[in-house]
């Protein structure tokens, strides 16, 4: 008998996995790039070795998906995520050897996939790049590399040896059409306004559009437009107090105190950005405020890249003190602070996605696997943590926070009520201090 998870697999997979295209025809957009890729595959098939393909494009546009589809045209594929620290040893030991050995009469071509080559891990950078260049030079097998940042220094020596294929963001209309198709398959009735809003907000990142759609559906069969009109105040009371303090006050202490809330700092940035022009009236005030917000955004990016969360503090200073002091004087008027309902909603799902990302990061570090692979272990770990003793041990081993553990544990039906319940085994008793936001300035 199949395990319940496996028999139920389609239902539990994330939608991005469930609807990951397995053929070129299923891919959204990038038709010209796909034609070039097909020619490259054909050349290999005709016995004409080709330079490696370097797929460069923004996150969530289908580079990894394309690499796997290309793999289906060859007899096998070897995939390594270059941002995984262990990759260097593996690159040399596994791929290095496999890529140089291929008998003259052997037409079993293996596709070597090197994902996220611009994300090569910190200190080992040079070794990693050197290893990749060595493989490119010596490989007798086809290679596909993927990267996000066309200007990355790490690509400087790699690029000239590759055939570069630019992968572009999908057009909003194509994203809407794709989301519509998912809704049909999931038997969901979604208001077209919602789908357009999701496509717009995704900025061409199809993965984030699909994730948002899944989060919005939350198991319901209907996604109505009212979600766009939902009031924020009921959902984020602390957040609005913080925004009021930032925009209404010039008292730094007061602003900092109001910012000590249990909320995602990036959400605070988005809400502040949304409300600056509602409060500030002079163009130079608005310009200064946005300047601070964009610097905060850069610091968030840096925090994510380096995993050094000191940058969150700098970001918070720009959002709070920076924006507060951007006004000449405080305005004496009543301002209705708001943001589109969808913004508030997506902000919330983004916070959840951040937790998922952190969880994947912790698993990937302990198990020496990439984050993408780590995410596929969630359903298995979920079954394992149903055992109370295992739950405690795994939680301790992975050093999970309450929120991360909750994600791993997932929701399950109460036998008594049939409703979803959440029980966190091995979780610490609530500790306000520990949960306090990273926005605190100690
Ligand atoms: N062009 C596309 N057509 C159809 N689905 C797509 C496309 N791009 C992304 N997706 C969806 O988004 C998910 C993530 O895509 P993928 O991992 O291939 O993106 P990526 O460009 O490699 O992102 P990253 O740079 O972050 O690794 C896929 O599983 C798929 O569901």
């Amino acid at each position: 008998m199949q395990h319940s998870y496996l028999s139920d697999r389609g239902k539990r997979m994330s939608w991005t996995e469930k609807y990951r295209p397995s053929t070129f025809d299923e891919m959204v957009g990038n038709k010209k790039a796909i034609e070039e890729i097909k020619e490259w595959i054909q050349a290999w098939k005709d016995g004409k070795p080709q330079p490696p393909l370097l797929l460069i494009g923004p996150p969530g546009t289908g580079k990894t998906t394309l690499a796997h589809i290309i793999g289906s045209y060859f007899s096998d594929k070897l995939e390594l995520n270059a941002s995984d620290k262990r990759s260097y040893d593996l690159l040399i030991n596994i791929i290095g050897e496999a890529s140089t050995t291929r008998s003259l009469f052997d037409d079993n071509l293996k596709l070597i996939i090197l994902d996220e080559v611009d994300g090569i891990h910190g200190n080992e950078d040079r070794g990693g790049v050197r290893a990749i260049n060595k493989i490119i030079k010596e490989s007798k097998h086809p290679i596909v590399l993927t990267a996000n940042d066309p200007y990355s220094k790490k690509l400087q020596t790699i690029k000239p040896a590759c055939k570069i294929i630019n992968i572009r963001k999908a057009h909003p209309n194509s994203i809407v059409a794709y989301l519509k198709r998912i809704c049909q398959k999931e038997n969901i009735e979604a208001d077209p306004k919602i789908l357009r809003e999701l496509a717009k907000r995704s900025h061409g990142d199809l993965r984030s559009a699909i994730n948002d759609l899944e989060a919005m559906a939350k198991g319901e069969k209907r996604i109505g437009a009212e979600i766009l009109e939902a009031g924020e105040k009921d959902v984020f009371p602390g957040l609005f107090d913080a925004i009021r303090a930032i925009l209404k006050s010039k008292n730094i202490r007061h602003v900092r105190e109001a910012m000590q809330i249990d909320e995602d700092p990036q959400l605070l940035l988005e809400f502040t950005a949304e409300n600056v022009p509602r409060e500030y009236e002079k163009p130079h005030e608005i310009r200064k405020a946005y300047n601070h917000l964009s610097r905060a955004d850069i610091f968030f990016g840096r925090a994510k890249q380096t995993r050094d969360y000191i940058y969150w503090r700098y970001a918070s200073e720009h959002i709070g003190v920076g924006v507060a002091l951007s006004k000449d004087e405080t305005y004496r008027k009543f301002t209705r602070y708001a943001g589109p309902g969808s913004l508030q909603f997506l902000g919330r799902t983004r916070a959840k996605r951040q937790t998922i990302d952190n969880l994947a990061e912790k698993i990937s570090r302990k198990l020496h696997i990439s984050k993408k692979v780590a995410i596929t272990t969630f359903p298995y770990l979920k079954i394992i943590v149903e055992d109370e003793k295992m739950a405690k041990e795994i939680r301790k081993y992975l050093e999970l926070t309450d929120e991360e553990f909750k994600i791993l544990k997932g929701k399950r039906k109460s036998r008594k009520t049939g409703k979803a319940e959440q029980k966190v085994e091995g979780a610490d008793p609530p500790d306000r201090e520990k949960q306090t936001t990273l926005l605190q300035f100690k």
Side-chain angles (χ1 to χ4, degrees), residues 51-212:
L53 278 188
L54 174 56
L55 310 180
I56 306 186
T61 50
K63 300 178 297 297
T64 310
T65 307
L66 277 171
H68 282 270
I69 297 174
I70 298 170
S72 67
Y73 285 82
F74 296 98
S75 68
D76 203 354
K77 64 186 174 210
L78 263 172
E79 185 193 2
L80 268 185
N81 186 301
S83 62
D84 176 350
K85 190 172 168 296
R86 276 200 334 167
S87 291
Y88 314 100
D89 314 336
L90 290 173
L91 277 171
I92 297 296
N93 294 342
I94 305 175
I95 298 186
E97 199 170 319
S99 64
T100 51
T101 52
R102 179 180 158 228
S103 92
L104 257 181
F105 306 103
D106 171 13
D107 61 356
N108 278 346
L109 291 169
K110 289 186 181 66
L111 180 74
I112 297 168
I113 302 173
L114 296 170
D115 212 1
E116 299 175 23
V117 281
D118 51 345
I120 288 174
H121 209 273
N123 295 336
E124 268 105 335
D125 275 0
R126 270 195 246 134
V129 171
R130 211 178 308 129
I132 289 174
N133 278 322
K134 185 166 158 25
I135 289 160
I136 289 178
K137 209 163 145 213
E138 295 175 5
S139 174
K140 304 221 172 359
H141 292 266
I143 304 176
V144 172
L145 306 101
T146 78
N148 287 146
D149 176 9
Y151 306 108
S152 165
K153 276 194 187 149
K154 291 164 194 167
L155 295 182
Q156 254 172 19
T157 55
I158 296 174
K159 264 163 119 178
C162 298
K163 179 176 170 57
I164 296 171
I165 306 269
N166 289 311
I167 305 299
R168 298 185 201 288
K169 292 175 177 181
H171 188 277
N173 290 348
S174 316
I175 297 186
V176 169
Y178 200 73
L179 297 180
K180 225 186 238 171
R181 240 175 294 151
I182 293 182
C183 287
Q184 274 163 3
K185 285 189 184 145
E186 290 291 327
N187 217 358
I188 286 171
E189 194 192 312
D191 193 299
K193 252 202 248 170
I194 298 268
L195 301 186
R196 282 199 297 274
E197 179 69 16
L198 289 181
K200 194 176 114 203
R201 297 221 130 249
S202 73
H203 299 289
D205 178 343
L206 203 58
R207 176 176 34 221
S208 90
I210 298 171
N211 277 335
D212 285 339

Side-chain angles (χ1 to χ4, degrees), residues 4-14 18 376 380:
S4 64
Y5 164 69
L6 295 177
S7 55
D8 202 13
R9 197 157 181 251
K11 279 189 192 153
R12 298 201 190 185
M13 244 191 242
S14 74
K18 195 169 167 186
T376 65
Y380 300 102

